[in-house]
Amino acid sequence: MRFWCEYAWLPDGPAAGVAITVDGSRIVSVEPGVPREGTVLAGLTLPGFANAHSHAFHRALRGRTHADGGTFWTWRERMYAVAERLDPDSYLRLARAVYAEMVLAGFTSVGEFHYVHHAAEGKPYADPNAMGYALAQAAAEAGIRLTLLDTCYLTPGLEGGELSRAQRRFSDGDAQRWASRVDDFRPEGLARVGAAVHSVRAVPAEQIPVVKSWAAGRPLHAHLSEQRAENEACLRVHGRTPSELLADLGVLGDGFVGVHATHLTDKDVALLGGSGACFCPTTERDLGDGIGPARQLADAGVMLSLGTDSHAVVDPFAELLALEADERLAAESRGHFTPTELVAAAARHEAIGWPEVGRIAEGAGADLVVVDTESVRTAGSEPLGVPLCATAADVRDVMVAGEWVVREGRHLRIDRPAAELAAVIEELL
Ligand SMILES: [Zn+2]
């Protein structure tokens, strides 16, 4: 397949008149400055975006938690109420529609931070990975690359105590049993597996190295300092911040991604150099988490990625814009990240174990997103500014691994994703 793009976003920014040749699932040539020819992709063609942090079932809460305020922790109670009702069948139907929404928005991969493993009271399903397989099937049907970040979750908090009824579904008992369950999970097709420590709240320090050693060579994620309360508890119990604790346990470095990384000390930022950090700006503002030091982290050598986390919003343009906009609000100045840096962060498939995807370049995976540059939102913008004024509604075509999944704004495999979302959410709530 050969396409001629009116504009294409190359690793150093947008170029005009770019011919892209795709063979199978790979891009085999990219030629800028070519006269119009053959199959034309009008508008701006970007690399597919990576949703590096997702909890698919949180989507059920969208638009349902604003009326009575509350805190992160009261929001979490509602989220647990949804988790209690999921089973492999309803989770397949919910996640399939959520992943369809993601592809329609321009995401071509998702890192699913998955911790609802077991049936009520923590009883394993006949296949203990039934929930993971439901997510893998959902991703395959929706046409998105999946990294199942299978999550170890053992304790309700740093100061011990009993797991709540909902939390018992998350626990394998200990990290060894978590590892042996995940060993049996065999993804197929466009699915891979990685690991996660839910947080320093949910995995005792002495068990975290078990997860780290299982993850060798795969991505390892952990929620990190999203809330000040987590930092305070960690200081009380361990005399260290969560970043210091993970550093002392040998967890930080290549392959590690701290999710949120919101409330950090200068020392934490330095320790995280050489690791990754996944910001989820639309969720962080929805939950009132705060603004993390994104520029400071990038300057310290942290690889930034982006995720939609709770799916209060599913829109890669909203996340990449917020990465810059939040810095502007916090610093009272403009221009902290270039548009090229923002697009690179939003296309960081490497953070979830797809290093070959995320660039329009020879040899890269053929994941493309074509954006309308003549909508009411984008008309008049120069190509360099389009990612900062487009929204998910401007995504016209999406190719994943060499196959069109979205054409002219329609998902080619799932006819009515909105109706599917409404039906399964009504059933769950
Ligand atoms: Zn999360």
Side-chain angles (χ1 to χ4, degrees), residues 339-396:
T340 307
E341 287 177 309
L342 295 171
V343 169
R348 197 86 71 195
H349 301 261
E350 183 183 353
I352 52 171
W354 300 89
E356 73 277 33
V357 186
R359 304 173 298 289
I360 298 181
E362 192 184 317
D367 288 23
L368 303 174
V369 173
V370 185
V371 172
D372 187 353
T373 50
E374 293 176 357
S375 77
V376 286
R377 289 165 293 275
T378 57
S381 172
E382 57 184 17
L384 186 68
V386 166
L388 288 106
C389 56
T391 71
D394 299 309
V395 170
R396 214 170 40 211

Side-chain angles (χ1 to χ4, degrees), residues 51-420:
N51 194 347
H53 189 68
S54 161
H55 308 281
F57 75 95
H58 293 189
R59 172 65 181 80
L61 295 176
R62 185 189 295 171
R64 290 174 172 269
T65 61
H66 298 288
D68 50 1
T71 66
F72 173 88
W73 307 102
T74 58
W75 172 87
R76 192 178 73 158
E77 287 309 312
R78 293 179 150 207
M79 181 267 281
Y80 283 172
V82 179
E84 282 206 58
R85 295 183 185 189
L86 289 169
D87 61 28
D89 174 63
S90 59
Y91 209 3
L92 165 61
R93 285 179 286 124
L94 176 59
R96 163 186 146 100
V98 174
Y99 294 156
E101 181 187 3
M102 287 183 197
V103 185
L104 284 163
F107 289 113
T108 64
S109 76
V110 57
E112 181 64 35
F113 198 107
H114 166 55
Y115 54 81
V116 188
H117 301 304
H118 303 298
E121 301 298 327
K123 186 171 177 291
Y125 288 105
D127 180 338
N129 286 304
M131 293 293 258
Y133 284 118
L135 290 163
Q137 187 182 338
E141 290 181 11
I144 193 167
R145 298 177 194 265
L146 170 76
T147 301
L148 190 83
L149 297 162
D150 198 294
T151 303
C152 186
Y153 193 123
L154 304 172
T155 53
L158 277 146
E159 280 142 336
E162 290 281 298
L163 291 168
S164 70
R165 198 183 129 80
Q167 289 169 332
R168 285 201 283 281
R169 299 194 61 181
F170 309 162
S171 175
D172 292 290
D174 61 42
Q176 282 299 351
R177 277 180 277 180
W178 167 84
S180 62
R181 179 180 54 73
V182 188
D183 267 337
D184 291 334
F185 179 74
R186 300 289 152 81
E188 291 175 357
L190 291 177
R192 293 179 181 172
V193 64
V197 167
H198 178 276
S199 55
V200 298
R201 290 183 270 125
V203 184
E206 71 277 8
Q207 304 216 32
I208 290 174
V210 177
V211 183
K212 161 75 180 170
S213 64
W214 185 89
R218 303 183 181 99
L220 171 62
H221 288 215
H223 290 128
L224 185 70
S225 295
E226 178 177 8
Q227 292 279 319
R228 293 184 193 278
E230 171 185 320
N231 285 0
E232 287 156 12
C234 195
L235 283 166
R236 268 198 309 276
V237 172
H238 295 293
R240 286 167 282 183
T241 66
S243 298
E244 289 170 359
L245 178 64
L246 293 175
D248 291 345
L249 293 169
V251 170
L252 302 188
D254 202 27
F256 176 77
V257 175
V259 179
H260 302 301
T262 307
H263 300 288
L264 302 179
T265 64
D266 287 347
K267 184 179 174 195
D268 292 340
V269 171
L271 287 171
L272 286 164
S275 298
C278 179
F279 277 49
C280 307
T282 64
T283 288
E284 288 151 10
R285 75 184 180 211
D286 181 68
L287 295 176
D289 290 341
I291 300 173
R295 183 70 254 176
Q296 203 190 339
L297 284 163
D299 290 341
V302 175
M303 179 182 76
L304 295 181
S305 54
L306 293 167
T308 66
D309 191 3
S310 70
H311 315 309
V313 174
V314 170
D315 185 336
F317 302 104
E319 303 299 337
L320 72 86
L321 173 62
L323 191 66
E324 167 65 17
D326 287 354
E327 286 279 321
R328 292 185 186 182
L329 286 169
E332 301 177 34
S333 62
R334 306 182 87 231
H336 299 272
F337 291 97
T338 65
T340 307
E341 287 177 309
L342 295 171
V343 169
R348 197 86 71 195
H349 301 261
E350 183 183 353
I352 52 171
W354 300 89
E356 73 277 33
V357 186
R359 304 173 298 289
I360 298 181
E362 192 184 317
D367 288 23
L368 303 174
V369 173
V370 185
V371 172
D372 187 353
T373 50
E374 293 176 357
S375 77
V376 286
R377 289 165 293 275
T378 57
S381 172
E382 57 184 17
L384 186 68
V386 166
L388 288 106
C389 56
T391 71
D394 299 309
V395 170
R396 214 170 40 211
D397 308 301
V398 180
M399 173 182 281
V400 183
E403 286 192 37
W404 291 114
V405 182
V406 173
R407 282 299 244 170
E408 298 298 331
R410 283 186 52 93
H411 198 291
L412 298 181
R413 304 179 193 174
I414 298 179
D415 256 359
R416 300 173 66 222
E420 292 190 17

